[in-house]
Amino acid sequence: MAHGGSRRVILAALAGNLAIAATKLAAALYTGSSAMLSEAIHSAVDTGNQGLLLIGLRRAARPPTPRHPLGHGMELYFWAFVVALMIFALGGAVSVYEGWRKIVAPEPVESAWVNFLVLGASVVFEGLSFRVAFREFRRSHAGEPFWQAIRASKDPGVFAVLLEDAAALAGLSIALAGLGLAAWLDIPELDGAASIGIGLLLVLTAVFLANETRSLLTGEAASPRLIADVRAMLVADPRVKTVEELLTMHLGPAEVLMAVTIDLADELPGAGVEQAARELTRRIEDRHPEVTRIFLRPKRMAA
């Protein structure tokens, strides 16, 4: 997926979360709701996270240098991992602590209608942000089951925002339920319980996101579909006897490093081997533009 799509998704989420965070914080200070304060923290963390992802996109777009000859594409994976840590520490842990504090020393929620009004508006804005991210995500994963597509995606600029927005919508549902029950039953501890629920939701989101970005940071291969297609393309060439080895690694969301070892026909002269290597490399690049680095070598002859 192009970085333009990722940037559009991140900017949409950033604008929405910034406005929502300020509104939620004002409502939390006015009403004293623990769940609303947790939601304000959640939205503030999400806003900061989108800023970090934008930093990652800009740094990943830098050209190769002698120190980083394969480019800086993996910078985006690093910043996405930082985002996961932020969600865990500043979102999940703080929300759980705030909820526990409210249960130990419960206080009635004042003017609960303010919270319901803000939460209702937040659902609308978060839903719009989620829609933008979901459409961009589906554009490059059409027809794939949702969770399978999330696991297969190599672009944290989109799937991190998608997961954050999904967690935000679920958190808003928890906050609405907790505040509603606390006001209806006159049990303020339920407001704190909702805050803990939001915190645990954020912790689970952070763990999932951290695991996905860890895999990308440590050299995740290209999709099985791409690998199978390139292998079939090579084997179909009459000059190729076998494909001994085909290794891939993502250097960024749309940057794949590929190393191929092939066994060419014995009758090919030296010039024919060079020509075959050039043509096969060009064929792979034309069919899969995301393969930006190809190292192709003939199989070593036995001594």
Side-chain angles (χ1 to χ4, degrees):
M1 185 182 296
H3 281 179
S6 301
R7 193 179 304 277
R8 181 168 57 252
V9 170
I10 295 170
L11 287 174
L14 176 64
N17 279 317
L18 184 59
I20 292 170
T23 306
K24 286 177 179 176
L25 180 60
L29 295 176
Y30 182 74
T31 64
S33 168
S34 177
M36 181 58 76
L37 181 58
S38 294
E39 276 297 308
I41 294 169
H42 181 181
S43 295
V45 171
D46 283 352
T47 303
N49 289 344
Q50 271 98 57
L52 291 176
L53 289 174
L54 286 174
I55 291 173
L57 279 178
R58 190 170 76 173
R59 292 182 64 84
R62 291 179 299 166
T65 63
R67 189 172 182 181
H68 294 89
L70 298 178
H72 299 79
M74 295 185 78
E75 282 255 13
L76 181 57
Y77 299 154
F78 167 77
W79 289 104
F81 190 79
V82 173
V83 163
L85 297 179
M86 292 275 287
I87 295 173
F88 182 90
L90 297 183
V94 173
S95 294
V96 170
Y97 170 75
E98 178 63 23
W100 173 82
R101 190 181 65 81
K102 189 63 177 282
I103 290 175
V104 172
E107 298 174 1
V109 177
E110 303 293 338
S111 303
W113 65 270
V114 175
N115 289 324
F116 291 122
L117 182 63
V118 171
L119 289 174
S122 298
V123 168
V124 174
F125 289 118
E126 289 288 3
L128 292 174
S129 176
F130 179 83
R131 184 183 180 190
V132 172
F134 187 76
R135 282 185 170 181
E136 192 66 36
F137 182 76
R138 275 306 185 197
R139 187 176 300 174
S140 59
H141 296 277
E144 294 183 49
F146 180 73
W147 283 111
Q148 180 179 325
I150 285 284
R151 299 298 301 271
S153 177
K154 315 298 181 183
D155 190 354
V158 173
F159 73 71
V161 173
L162 189 63
L163 288 173
E164 284 183 355
D165 287 344
L169 288 170
L172 288 168
S173 300
I174 295 172
L176 282 167
L179 281 169
L181 290 172
W184 183 35
L185 301 175
D186 195 23
I187 304 177
E189 289 87 350
L190 292 176
D191 180 40
S195 180
I196 292 176
I198 294 168
L200 294 176
L201 174 68
L202 292 178
V203 168
L204 290 175
T205 303
V207 169
F208 182 85
L209 181 57
N211 185 61
E212 290 300 304
T213 52
R214 174 199 57 79
S215 180
L216 292 167
L217 273 172
T218 52
E220 187 171 313
S223 69
R225 183 183 304 174
L226 184 150
I227 295 172
D229 187 64
V230 171
R231 183 179 292 274
M233 185 193 312
L234 293 173
V235 171
D237 192 290
R239 295 167 295 184
V240 178
K241 292 167 62 178
T242 58
V243 177
E244 297 290 328
E245 196 172 40
L246 201 163
L247 305 177
T248 61
M249 184 178 76
H250 264 272
L251 301 174
E255 299 175 53
V256 175
L257 169 69
M258 180 174 289
V260 187
T261 302
I262 55 176
D263 187 6
L264 294 169
D266 297 334
E267 61 271 17
L268 280 178
V273 171
E274 293 180 5
Q275 182 179 353
R278 285 196 302 270
E279 292 177 356
L280 292 172
T281 298
R282 190 179 306 115
R283 199 175 300 168
I284 295 171
E285 291 173 338
D286 290 344
R287 185 152 177 172
H288 296 284
E290 66 271 31
V291 181
T292 55
R293 298 284 190 280
I294 302 176
F295 299 95
L296 191 150
R297 69 168 189 171
K299 178 185 175 182
R300 291 181 179 177
M301 301 296 293

